[in-house]
Amino acid sequence: MSDARTFRYGKIREVCSSYRCGRLPEEAAARGLLFTAWGEPDRVSNGENDDEVRVVSFVIAEGGPKRFDHVRRSKDMGPVHRTVARFPPGRMVTFLTFDRPYGPLDPKAQICRSDREACFPSEDLPL
């Protein structure tokens, strides 16, 4: 990328794909969280197929190889997938993706880093 803060990410699902660019902030907007893209359905809901619609989220967290996982998992939540990226001049961040069912979740459901220094709700979080 053109500088130490610019990134590009893509979402590829069975019925759609999208690509976007973004910029890492100078400082985390919330403890350990740099960027969130929440609540993008993987298909259009027509009211009859809600159980087939999955909502895909993308998060960039500060730091490197620490593991993230569900602390209290809502029913039918997908796994947390992660990869570590190194930005110049050596800044490490973790890219996370996870999917969940369309509709409301357990409001106590969270995803946390293994050291519990960064936690966030499984449902949409305005940042």
Side-chain angles (χ1 to χ4, degrees), residues 29-115:
R31 187 173 174 182
L33 300 180
L34 297 172
F35 177 87
T36 59
W38 295 97
E40 297 180 43
D42 66 353
R43 67 188 76 209
V44 175
S45 170
N46 64 13
E48 295 176 13
N49 69 338
D50 285 354
D51 59 334
E52 298 173 20
V53 178
R54 303 292 291 180
V55 176
V56 181
S57 298
F58 174 72
V59 174
I60 300 178
E62 190 71 69
K66 300 225 176 178
R67 182 175 155 76
F68 281 81
D69 209 347
H70 297 279
V71 171
R72 181 173 174 158
R73 184 186 294 251
S74 277
K75 185 180 181 212
D76 297 327
M77 287 288 295
V80 178
H81 300 282
R82 71 178 174 89
T83 190
V84 176
R86 186 180 303 270
F87 284 71
R91 180 183 194 183
M92 292 181 68
V93 299
T94 302
F95 287 29
L96 304 166
T97 60
F98 55 95
D99 66 286
R100 63 177 177 82
Y102 185 73
L105 296 177
D106 177 345
K108 295 180 181 176
Q110 286 189 319
I111 295 172
C112 290
R113 196 165 67 189
S114 59
D115 62 6

Side-chain angles (χ1 to χ4, degrees), residues 9-25:
Y9 69 98
K11 176 180 78 168
I12 301 170
R13 300 291 280 186
E14 179 182 341
V15 294
C16 67
S17 66
S18 65
Y19 297 91
R20 294 200 173 105
C21 290
R23 289 184 51 79
L24 294 178

